[in-house]
Amino acid sequence: MSYTQELDIALLAVQRATLLTQKVFHYNAKGTLSKDDHSPVTIGDFGAQALIISALRHNFPNDEIVGEEEASSLRDNPSLAEQIFALVKESKLDDSSAESQLGGPIKDLNAMLAAIDAGNSNGGSKGRIWALDPVDGTKGFLRGGQYAVCLALMVDGDVKVGVLGCPNLPIDDAAPISADVGGEGKGVLFSAVQGQGATSRPLTRGALASAKTITMKDVDDITQATFCESVEAGHSSHGDQAEIAKRLGITRESVRMDSQAKYGSIARGAGDLYLRLPVRKDYEEKIWDHAAGDLIVREAGGEVTDAEGKRLDFSIGRTLKRNKGVVAAPREVHGKVLEVVKEVLGNK
């Protein structure tokens, strides 16, 4: 199956959502709430989730959606809900045909809340299920760093389509990797369909821009590789990752950035390795934090496994219960990197 319609809708839906997130990104006050796990959620998260789920329900009404947010806190806070709905109403693509493909604007506040709550699937191994992270890297978003709007389609537990909207990454695929977000020429949309390769294109305010094929960089000398890791030490073990880099002979400082922007960066050869090693044994990664990036890297010629060498398993619910950590690298060096990862973790 070609998944042409699914890819088009996913790209346009993510592109439209980034119009809202960028508006919120440049606000001084981002309307932060705290979830039960104390992670921050902003008006950008709620608004982007509403816009994307509305587009998915218009085009694929029978599909399930695993979304990160739910709307109960907004029902308890009507003024915040109204503030978000005002932003949602303003967030339209300039191209009327593209906007029409997404089903047009959300009609009222109740429809917005219903859309947010429609991301309540438990996931699993049967049928068509979308995984959505409306603002991946919320802490980066709040501090003015990298973030991504992430959407993936899984069919019977296998990721078929992946899209990442990264408003603060350079459009130029050849630009060196950096956590810096300043300057012009920013905003890129990465995508992949299983078996069809990976692409990047500039984010626009209207119709989709032309896409370019992206591939991971050949790494002839692992000591010259650049590796990416999370900014937050609570997400990824910086100490273990530094030891792995040392044993591989990598002397370049790691690039720390938030979100699945790391997957997009290595997929186009701006970086080489992405390590996200477990900080505690009971931590389970969320599927929406990895589904799109995993496919994009693999379709760009990379390998993505957990720290034990197993493929990431998106078929068992809302988390990656059977996996610990993430190791993403070009295929030709992944085995070497994984060997060192196992050595370092095995010595603990």
PDB file of all heavy atoms in Angstrom, residues 122-125 157 287 313-323:
ATOM      1  N   ASN A 122      -5.666   3.148  23.467  1.00  0.00           N
ATOM      2  CA  ASN A 122      -4.647   2.454  24.252  1.00  0.00           C
ATOM      3  C   ASN A 122      -3.544   1.851  23.386  1.00  0.00           C
ATOM      4  O   ASN A 122      -2.634   1.190  23.891  1.00  0.00           O
ATOM      5  CB  ASN A 122      -5.286   1.344  25.096  1.00  0.00           C
ATOM      6  CG  ASN A 122      -6.099   1.923  26.238  1.00  0.00           C
ATOM      7  OD1 ASN A 122      -5.705   2.902  26.852  1.00  0.00           O
ATOM      8  ND2 ASN A 122      -7.255   1.334  26.514  1.00  0.00           N
ATOM      9  N   GLY A 123      -3.636   2.079  22.049  1.00  0.00           N
ATOM     10  CA  GLY A 123      -2.636   1.497  21.156  1.00  0.00           C
ATOM     11  C   GLY A 123      -2.837   0.007  20.998  1.00  0.00           C
ATOM     12  O   GLY A 123      -3.912  -0.528  21.283  1.00  0.00           O
ATOM     13  N   GLY A 124      -1.806  -0.687  20.523  1.00  0.00           N
ATOM     14  CA  GLY A 124      -1.905  -2.139  20.372  1.00  0.00           C
ATOM     15  C   GLY A 124      -1.445  -2.620  19.016  1.00  0.00           C
ATOM     16  O   GLY A 124      -0.898  -1.871  18.203  1.00  0.00           O
ATOM     17  N   SER A 125      -1.687  -3.896  18.759  1.00  0.00           N
ATOM     18  CA  SER A 125      -1.125  -4.565  17.579  1.00  0.00           C
ATOM     19  C   SER A 125      -2.127  -4.773  16.455  1.00  0.00           C
ATOM     20  O   SER A 125      -1.799  -5.395  15.445  1.00  0.00           O
ATOM     21  CB  SER A 125      -0.551  -5.924  18.002  1.00  0.00           C
ATOM     22  OG  SER A 125      -1.600  -6.738  18.531  1.00  0.00           O
ATOM     23  N   GLY A 157       0.553  -2.513  14.475  1.00  0.00           N
ATOM     24  CA  GLY A 157       1.721  -2.363  15.330  1.00  0.00           C
ATOM     25  C   GLY A 157       3.005  -1.976  14.625  1.00  0.00           C
ATOM     26  O   GLY A 157       4.038  -1.797  15.285  1.00  0.00           O
ATOM     27  N   ILE A 287       5.290   5.798  23.134  1.00  0.00           N
ATOM     28  CA  ILE A 287       5.409   5.507  21.693  1.00  0.00           C
ATOM     29  C   ILE A 287       5.425   6.788  20.864  1.00  0.00           C
ATOM     30  O   ILE A 287       6.100   6.860  19.835  1.00  0.00           O
ATOM     31  CB  ILE A 287       4.315   4.530  21.197  1.00  0.00           C
ATOM     32  CG1 ILE A 287       2.908   5.100  21.358  1.00  0.00           C
ATOM     33  CG2 ILE A 287       4.438   3.177  21.871  1.00  0.00           C
ATOM     34  CD1 ILE A 287       1.827   4.247  20.660  1.00  0.00           C
ATOM     35  N   ASP A 313       9.415  -1.698  19.707  1.00  0.00           N
ATOM     36  CA  ASP A 313       8.146  -2.406  19.507  1.00  0.00           C
ATOM     37  C   ASP A 313       6.982  -1.483  19.869  1.00  0.00           C
ATOM     38  O   ASP A 313       6.717  -1.219  21.042  1.00  0.00           O
ATOM     39  CB  ASP A 313       8.131  -3.658  20.389  1.00  0.00           C
ATOM     40  CG  ASP A 313       6.916  -4.537  20.141  1.00  0.00           C
ATOM     41  OD1 ASP A 313       5.966  -4.096  19.451  1.00  0.00           O
ATOM     42  OD2 ASP A 313       6.901  -5.678  20.655  1.00  0.00           O
ATOM     43  N   PHE A 314       6.303  -1.022  18.817  1.00  0.00           N
ATOM     44  CA  PHE A 314       5.202  -0.071  18.995  1.00  0.00           C
ATOM     45  C   PHE A 314       3.838  -0.756  19.093  1.00  0.00           C
ATOM     46  O   PHE A 314       2.815  -0.088  19.036  1.00  0.00           O
ATOM     47  CB  PHE A 314       5.194   0.922  17.825  1.00  0.00           C
ATOM     48  CG  PHE A 314       6.432   1.777  17.765  1.00  0.00           C
ATOM     49  CD1 PHE A 314       7.495   1.421  16.947  1.00  0.00           C
ATOM     50  CD2 PHE A 314       6.548   2.916  18.540  1.00  0.00           C
ATOM     51  CE1 PHE A 314       8.650   2.197  16.899  1.00  0.00           C
ATOM     52  CE2 PHE A 314       7.691   3.703  18.504  1.00  0.00           C
ATOM     53  CZ  PHE A 314       8.749   3.339  17.678  1.00  0.00           C
ATOM     54  N   SER A 315       3.822  -2.063  19.279  1.00  0.00           N
ATOM     55  CA  SER A 315       2.575  -2.827  19.143  1.00  0.00           C
ATOM     56  C   SER A 315       1.912  -3.196  20.467  1.00  0.00           C
ATOM     57  O   SER A 315       0.911  -3.910  20.468  1.00  0.00           O
ATOM     58  CB  SER A 315       2.856  -4.123  18.370  1.00  0.00           C
ATOM     59  OG  SER A 315       3.596  -5.029  19.170  1.00  0.00           O
ATOM     60  N   ILE A 316       2.450  -2.723  21.593  1.00  0.00           N
ATOM     61  CA  ILE A 316       1.945  -3.265  22.867  1.00  0.00           C
ATOM     62  C   ILE A 316       1.334  -2.220  23.784  1.00  0.00           C
ATOM     63  O   ILE A 316       1.281  -2.405  24.985  1.00  0.00           O
ATOM     64  CB  ILE A 316       3.047  -4.043  23.613  1.00  0.00           C
ATOM     65  CG1 ILE A 316       4.356  -3.248  23.613  1.00  0.00           C
ATOM     66  CG2 ILE A 316       3.245  -5.408  23.038  1.00  0.00           C
ATOM     67  CD1 ILE A 316       5.436  -3.854  24.447  1.00  0.00           C
ATOM     68  N   GLY A 317       0.878  -1.120  23.221  1.00  0.00           N
ATOM     69  CA  GLY A 317       0.219  -0.131  24.058  1.00  0.00           C
ATOM     70  C   GLY A 317       0.793   1.257  23.859  1.00  0.00           C
ATOM     71  O   GLY A 317       1.392   1.557  22.837  1.00  0.00           O
ATOM     72  N   ARG A 318       0.630   2.084  24.876  1.00  0.00           N
ATOM     73  CA  ARG A 318       1.059   3.488  24.781  1.00  0.00           C
ATOM     74  C   ARG A 318       2.541   3.679  25.112  1.00  0.00           C
ATOM     75  O   ARG A 318       3.067   4.776  24.959  1.00  0.00           O
ATOM     76  CB  ARG A 318       0.193   4.350  25.711  1.00  0.00           C
ATOM     77  CG  ARG A 318      -1.271   4.434  25.261  1.00  0.00           C
ATOM     78  CD  ARG A 318      -2.163   5.125  26.281  1.00  0.00           C
ATOM     79  NE  ARG A 318      -1.921   6.543  26.389  1.00  0.00           N
ATOM     80  CZ  ARG A 318      -2.552   7.491  25.678  1.00  0.00           C
ATOM     81  NH1 ARG A 318      -3.460   7.158  24.770  1.00  0.00           N
ATOM     82  NH2 ARG A 318      -2.272   8.772  25.867  1.00  0.00           N
ATOM     83  N   THR A 319       3.190   2.638  25.584  1.00  0.00           N
ATOM     84  CA  THR A 319       4.617   2.732  25.911  1.00  0.00           C
ATOM     85  C   THR A 319       5.411   1.630  25.217  1.00  0.00           C
ATOM     86  O   THR A 319       4.855   0.647  24.737  1.00  0.00           O
ATOM     87  CB  THR A 319       4.861   2.633  27.438  1.00  0.00           C
ATOM     88  OG1 THR A 319       4.511   1.314  27.879  1.00  0.00           O
ATOM     89  CG2 THR A 319       4.073   3.676  28.203  1.00  0.00           C
ATOM     90  N   LEU A 320       6.750   1.827  25.208  1.00  0.00           N
ATOM     91  CA  LEU A 320       7.664   0.818  24.648  1.00  0.00           C
ATOM     92  C   LEU A 320       8.074  -0.121  25.782  1.00  0.00           C
ATOM     93  O   LEU A 320       9.237  -0.157  26.206  1.00  0.00           O
ATOM     94  CB  LEU A 320       8.883   1.502  24.025  1.00  0.00           C
ATOM     95  CG  LEU A 320       8.611   2.404  22.820  1.00  0.00           C
ATOM     96  CD1 LEU A 320       9.860   3.197  22.437  1.00  0.00           C
ATOM     97  CD2 LEU A 320       8.125   1.595  21.622  1.00  0.00           C
ATOM     98  N   LYS A 321       7.098  -0.898  26.260  1.00  0.00           N
ATOM     99  CA  LYS A 321       7.306  -1.722  27.457  1.00  0.00           C
ATOM    100  C   LYS A 321       8.449  -2.720  27.316  1.00  0.00           C
ATOM    101  O   LYS A 321       9.085  -3.088  28.289  1.00  0.00           O
ATOM    102  CB  LYS A 321       6.027  -2.516  27.778  1.00  0.00           C
ATOM    103  CG  LYS A 321       4.888  -1.697  28.338  1.00  0.00           C
ATOM    104  CD  LYS A 321       3.739  -2.610  28.770  1.00  0.00           C
ATOM    105  CE  LYS A 321       2.559  -1.826  29.311  1.00  0.00           C
ATOM    106  NZ  LYS A 321       1.897  -1.019  28.264  1.00  0.00           N
ATOM    107  N   ARG A 322       8.679  -3.197  26.103  1.00  0.00           N
ATOM    108  CA  ARG A 322       9.675  -4.255  25.900  1.00  0.00           C
ATOM    109  C   ARG A 322      11.048  -3.717  25.547  1.00  0.00           C
ATOM    110  O   ARG A 322      11.959  -4.488  25.219  1.00  0.00           O
ATOM    111  CB  ARG A 322       9.201  -5.209  24.793  1.00  0.00           C
ATOM    112  CG  ARG A 322       7.954  -5.979  25.188  1.00  0.00           C
ATOM    113  CD  ARG A 322       7.522  -6.962  24.129  1.00  0.00           C
ATOM    114  NE  ARG A 322       6.254  -7.587  24.499  1.00  0.00           N
ATOM    115  CZ  ARG A 322       5.308  -7.945  23.645  1.00  0.00           C
ATOM    116  NH1 ARG A 322       5.466  -7.725  22.356  1.00  0.00           N
ATOM    117  NH2 ARG A 322       4.195  -8.511  24.067  1.00  0.00           N
ATOM    118  N   ASN A 323      11.202  -2.411  25.558  1.00  0.00           N
ATOM    119  CA  ASN A 323      12.476  -1.806  25.166  1.00  0.00           C
ATOM    120  C   ASN A 323      13.050  -0.934  26.277  1.00  0.00           C
ATOM    121  O   ASN A 323      12.308  -0.333  27.041  1.00  0.00           O
ATOM    122  CB  ASN A 323      12.299  -0.937  23.912  1.00  0.00           C
ATOM    123  CG  ASN A 323      11.791  -1.718  22.721  1.00  0.00           C
ATOM    124  OD1 ASN A 323      10.658  -1.560  22.296  1.00  0.00           O
ATOM    125  ND2 ASN A 323      12.628  -2.578  22.187  1.00  0.00           N
TER     126      ASN A 323
END
